[in-house]
Amino acid sequence: MGVEAGAQAARYRALVVLRIRSRALAVALLPAAVAVILLAGPATGRLTGPGWDAARWALTPVAVLVLLAAAGVALVVARARPAISPTVPIAEEAAPDLYRMVRDLADRLDVPAPSAIALTPDCDSWLEDRTHRAHGPPPAEEHDDIAGAGKHTHRRHPVAPVLVIGSPFLWWMRVGELRAVLAPVVAGTGPSAHPDIAAARRFVRGLDAAVAVASGPRRDPLSRAVLAGVGWVARLLLRSCRGHAAEMERGVAAAAAERAQAVDYGLRIVAQEQVGLAYAGWDRLLTRVALPAWRMGRWPSRLDAGVVAALTELSRRDRLAEGFASRLGERPACDLLEEPGAIDEAASLLAARLFHGGPAGPGPDWSPVAWSEYPEEVVDRKWRIDAARLHRVLDAMGVRPATGPTAPATGAPTLSRVLDHLTDTAPDSPAAPDEGTTPRADTTTRADSATATGTGTGPTTGTGTGPTHTPADRDRDRDHLGDDENNDEDEDLSGTTTRSAALAARLSAELSREETAAPRPPATAADATPADPAALWDDRTLPLFPLQPPRTTRDLLADHLTAMVCCAAMDTAGATPGLDWLDGPTLLLDGVRTPDLAPKVLALIEDGDATPLRAWLADLGIRPEKPVRLA
């Protein structure tokens, strides 16, 4: 499909959408038109008689009601604020080179330049129409048609849409690659400038916004009834034009892609590879590095710079990505910004809001953290907080401190206490599930589990056993779960011992209580100025894009046990917290990442076997019987 073919197809579908709008208007006006004819009849000496009089009295109120209902629907559609994407606006003064590059690209494509540029903390780019009156009164501009030239020349239309660029692209891509990636996006301003397409899009967006308004909570029964009717009409019209609107957008995309073929075609192929790579690095950085900090009330203030570090590390590890490292000598696209650090910080804060639901600005419980401070401020603190929570739960369960000649007399928290509690020794290990333990988990579970210290294989022998546990102890642990928690956790903890299941359930309940007790950040949309785009999206729906489903109770127990091991390593063996750009928090011993911890932890959780973990600790010189410092 060529440029003209795609544009003509889009315009045809736009006209179909507009005809649906016209038919809806005609249906709303039909009773009023008939009523006018009936009322005008007697003045001309026609339509007289008792029957016509009854028709006039019956139809006139109906026509008035239909007109009022149509006016109400039209008013809601016109005044409803279409949703806009939360972005970081970039003024031209803050990025003159970027604006210059985009305008030059628009000139080469022979399309109108975007009206503004904004950044999104995601790996995507698009055009967004923000010409609704709720976004501020836009000036009118004049452009020629892109389809059917000469038929509607110099028709006035709203300003061009806003160009939204994924912020990771600016930091990872080179200038030429960014221009190649943006070419088909900027080319879409051509079809967007067509009056019919613009009108059809406004109509569809208005209907969508009206449905959202009608779906909102209302306490007044009258308003609920009125908005229910408005919502029904809006949904009916949306169903009627949904297929045509989708085909219109396909035509616009086809026309834009075809027009962009003439600009940097060879470079676009390479740039698309960088898009996929940037997305992979961005996803790893968010889920494994940023998420642990967000959960602690800290937000990394240079996420986009972290993308570069993560992808550089990926290039170093992956032989297939070796060629990408040579690109780093070229000019990065972030050089097009006057103050890339400030923009990165704003995008990082917005990412925390969208993906985790944090507040709109820094505060005592929501402070930024630099990458250089991440190991001490996030990793160390996270491990000690988790270790403290683990011992609080053990205290609540009545678990005794570690025993033995090397145990501290003060009853201070130790790793041995946890190992002793979770260890199932041979004399007490049940032979069947009905004797107090659940079936062993599939061995693939261990390979699929990810921890902060990496995976791999390690020693399988070691020494050390825990105290014996009587059946009465097992019944006591089972009672701690409660009836509801027993039902909820059966599937998740089906491959763990009874003691692991009990501890995991109590940890999950404790964490839920902490999250419930934490104050919710105040919404800021109501305080924002009307011109602020952030005021046009609802803070109550945050996070808009949660990164992960809630952690399972098995994951929680593994995380807390790993944190306790890491605390013991730091306090007794001189280990230090570290940051791996691709895997997140990691434990360093003599500056080297410690591997192989995950299988040992899972062996203890699933089988009650602490032998592999104790051997691992002994090999690294970690003293489980020594007290550790908690948060």
Side-chain angles (χ1 to χ4, degrees), residues 300-326:
S301 58
R302 296 292 186 270
L303 277 179
D304 291 307
V307 172
V308 178
L311 293 177
T312 302
E313 177 65 16
L314 180 63
S315 300
R316 185 186 66 81
R317 295 183 188 180
D318 190 351
R319 289 179 298 176
L320 298 177
E322 288 178 357
F324 296 137
S326 62

Side-chain angles (χ1 to χ4, degrees), residues 92-450:
E92 185 168 359
E93 298 78 18
D97 291 343
L98 180 60
Y99 272 81
R100 191 177 302 111
M101 184 196 76
V102 171
R103 289 197 182 104
D104 176 70
L105 186 58
D107 290 340
R108 293 176 61 184
L109 294 169
D110 193 23
V111 295
S115 60
I117 298 176
L119 297 186
T120 177
D122 202 357
C123 294
D124 199 1
S125 297
W126 65 88
L127 293 172
E128 187 163 284
D129 188 352
R130 297 182 178 178
T131 57
H132 191 272
R133 60 176 56 89
H135 308 158
E141 295 181 354
E142 296 182 357
H143 295 287
D144 293 340
D145 284 341
I146 48 89
K151 297 180 181 179
H152 303 284
T153 56
H154 301 295
R155 289 179 59 178
R156 296 178 67 84
H157 69 90
V159 295
V162 174
L163 173 62
V164 181
I165 305 174
S167 62
F169 294 163
L170 281 173
W171 268 259
W172 175 243
M173 290 185 173
R174 311 298 99 179
V175 173
E177 293 169 349
L178 180 65
R179 184 174 60 246
V181 167
L182 295 180
V185 182
V186 174
T189 60
S192 299
H194 193 282
D196 294 334
I197 295 176
R201 283 176 166 174
R202 285 195 301 270
F203 177 59
V204 173
R205 284 197 307 272
L207 292 176
D208 183 69
V211 170
V213 170
S215 302
R218 293 290 187 279
R219 295 183 178 179
D220 182 13
L222 178 60
S223 63
R224 284 202 304 268
V226 171
L227 289 176
V230 172
W232 181 84
V233 174
R235 291 186 184 91
L236 178 64
L237 293 175
L238 271 179
R239 285 194 296 269
S240 301
C241 61
R242 179 183 297 137
H244 300 291
E247 291 298 326
M248 176 185 70
E249 297 300 339
R250 291 192 185 97
V252 169
E258 186 68 24
R259 185 182 292 271
Q261 292 290 333
V263 178
D264 299 330
Y265 178 76
L267 190 57
R268 284 174 57 193
I269 299 176
V270 178
Q272 287 301 321
E273 297 177 355
Q274 302 307 315
V275 170
L277 189 65
Y279 183 85
W282 180 247
D283 181 69
R284 291 281 290 263
L285 188 76
L286 290 184
T287 56
R288 303 196 181 190
V289 178
L291 187 59
W294 292 341
R295 284 172 171 165
M296 295 178 55
R298 306 296 299 272
W299 51 278
S301 58
R302 296 292 186 270
L303 277 179
D304 291 307
V307 172
V308 178
L311 293 177
T312 302
E313 177 65 16
L314 180 63
S315 300
R316 185 186 66 81
R317 295 183 188 180
D318 190 351
R319 289 179 298 176
L320 298 177
E322 288 178 357
F324 296 137
S326 62
R327 302 168 44 260
L328 300 181
E330 304 174 18
R331 186 190 183 194
C334 63
D335 280 358
L336 300 174
L337 304 174
E338 290 293 303
E339 297 182 5
I343 299 299
D344 193 359
E345 184 171 354
S348 300
L349 180 58
L350 181 57
R353 302 196 70 200
L354 296 181
F355 298 113
H356 186 68
D365 299 323
W366 188 241
S367 56
V369 59
W371 291 126
S372 60
E373 302 170 347
Y374 187 94
E376 291 295 331
E377 296 293 327
V378 175
V379 180
D380 181 89
R381 185 179 165 208
K382 174 185 183 299
W383 286 341
R384 297 193 186 277
I385 289 176
D386 287 352
R389 183 183 299 112
L390 177 61
H391 281 277
R392 284 200 307 271
V393 170
L394 291 175
D395 291 340
M397 295 173 64
V399 176
R400 299 183 301 272
T403 59
T406 59
T410 60
T414 63
L415 176 59
S416 292
R417 181 193 190 192
V418 184
L419 300 181
D420 292 348
H421 176 68
L422 294 179
T423 298
D424 273 342
T425 56
D428 287 300
S429 294
D434 59 357
E435 294 182 24
T437 189
T438 51
R440 179 177 176 176
D442 194 319
T443 54
T444 56
T445 304
R446 299 181 187 175
D448 294 338
S449 298

